[in-house]
Amino acid sequence: VTGAAEQLAMSQPPLTMQLHNLEAELGCALFAREGRRLRLTEAGAVFYRRAKTILALAEAAAGEMAGHGTGRLGTLRLGTISSVQGSMLPDWAAAFSARYPQVRLELHTADTYQQLEALRAGQIDVAVVRTPFSAPELEQLPLALERMLAAALPGRLPPQATLEALSHRPLVLYRRWERVLQAQFEAAGAVMEVRCCSDDAQTTLALAARGLGIAVVPASALPDPAALGLEARVIDAPQLATRIVALCRSRALLPRPAALFWDLLAQWQTDAPVTRKSEP
């Protein structure tokens, strides 16, 4: 509490009183007190998430209103996965910025599940993620269907990147694909040997470039294999594919900058029509 008071440039007793008043107003304990330290209760954690959402929405609304007075269109809060940052995202951002230079771009990078949480909480306007995921309540715009690649140092890939040919070879995986790949290897009668499992595609590729094994990543994560000193082949298993999808809570309720970006993304679709969220 003392440290928090110092950050707020106030003394500790008034801050403690404000915390007590907040709990009294809400009618529940937000903090468990352990001597001079506090930790959030379950109710406190819920309230903290709600407060972050409210503050983010208030900031977005204020920025949008300010834009009406200055001619600026506002701010686009876009969440993306790391695997599209080196391929699709720069093209999208450049095209959007050239068309709408009055819009400020705020980019937030996280994995698919974190982006879903941020979108549901109102912390971002649009999320670009990849399947598989479950979010039937969100509006979806499929953008591209892509295959999985096997990538390794020169001379370490089999001539044909079939699951059988990759059997018993050391693999470096992006963690969210481990169960999917395991199921496909088993169906093909092959043995998946995992040398290393990491949390993102870029780490997976960096490890493969250091010789740990054969990386298995979505195609958009590796637009230029030679830049990392790698060779890459499409894995000969059509069922190993992933779709890049844009999501929002409701196209009709998007702030204007996000709606403009959504419309631009619709022009980049390569394999599927817009799908709408399911109706009750």
Side-chain angles (χ1 to χ4, degrees):
V1 177
T2 302
E6 290 175 354
Q7 291 188 39
L8 295 169
M10 62 188 299
S11 61
Q12 182 264 332
L15 177 57
T16 299
M17 182 59 68
Q18 288 188 27
L19 296 180
H20 282 299
N21 291 341
L22 180 59
E23 289 179 314
E25 180 181 348
L26 296 175
C28 63
L30 301 178
F31 304 96
R33 289 159 175 82
E34 301 170 349
R36 296 175 61 86
R37 300 183 64 83
L38 301 179
R39 65 175 175 80
L40 287 174
T41 62
E42 183 177 349
V46 171
F47 186 71
Y48 174 68
R49 292 195 296 270
R50 294 290 186 268
K52 286 183 64 176
T53 299
I54 292 168
L55 290 172
L57 292 172
E59 183 179 350
E64 193 171 351
M65 294 306 100
H68 284 281
T70 62
R72 185 168 56 86
L73 292 180
T75 299
L76 168 61
R77 302 177 302 162
L78 174 64
T80 65
I81 49 177
S82 61
S83 56
V84 303
Q85 287 187 317
S87 53
M88 302 176 183
L89 178 61
D91 291 335
W92 295 336
F96 184 75
S97 186
R99 191 175 300 182
Y100 306 108
Q102 311 96 318
V103 175
R104 168 183 165 138
L105 298 178
E106 286 190 1
L107 304 179
H108 303 269
T109 305
D111 65 34
T112 290
Y113 303 112
Q114 292 168 328
Q115 297 293 5
L116 291 174
E117 183 178 346
L119 186 60
R120 288 166 175 149
Q123 296 168 2
I124 56 177
D125 302 312
V126 175
V128 177
V129 300
R130 67 169 66 252
T131 59
F133 62 84
S134 178
E137 80 282 10
L138 299 177
E139 195 155 344
Q140 303 185 16
L141 177 67
L143 298 173
L145 184 68
E146 59 179 354
R147 299 284 294 277
M148 301 293 287
L149 300 179
L153 292 173
R156 298 199 179 186
L157 288 176
Q160 298 293 324
T162 63
L163 295 179
E164 293 82 0
L166 294 172
S167 182
H168 292 290
R169 292 176 182 259
L171 302 180
V172 185
L173 305 181
Y174 177 9
R175 182 168 282 106
R176 73 172 304 211
W177 295 105
E178 185 172 13
R179 290 185 180 179
V180 174
L181 287 165
Q182 183 66 58
Q184 296 301 328
F185 269 78
E186 291 177 356
V191 177
M192 186 174 76
E193 180 182 319
V194 180
R195 174 71 57 82
C196 182
C197 197
S198 69
D199 285 323
D200 63 83
Q202 299 310 313
T203 300
T204 300
L205 291 168
L207 293 172
R210 296 299 187 275
L212 267 72
I214 298 173
V216 179
V217 295
S220 61
L222 189 59
D224 184 8
L228 293 178
L230 298 172
E231 292 180 342
R233 294 190 177 93
V234 174
I235 297 177
D236 187 11
Q239 65 273 26
L240 281 180
T242 176
R243 194 183 301 275
I244 297 173
V245 182
L247 301 173
C248 69
R249 285 172 294 170
S250 169
R251 168 64 181 84
L253 299 179
L254 280 176
R256 188 181 178 200
L260 294 172
F261 184 74
W262 186 273
D263 292 342
L264 183 144
L265 285 182
Q267 300 173 22
W268 289 72
Q269 286 182 282
T270 61
D271 73 321
V274 178
T275 61
R276 298 299 179 186
K277 63 181 178 181
S278 11
E279 296 295 333

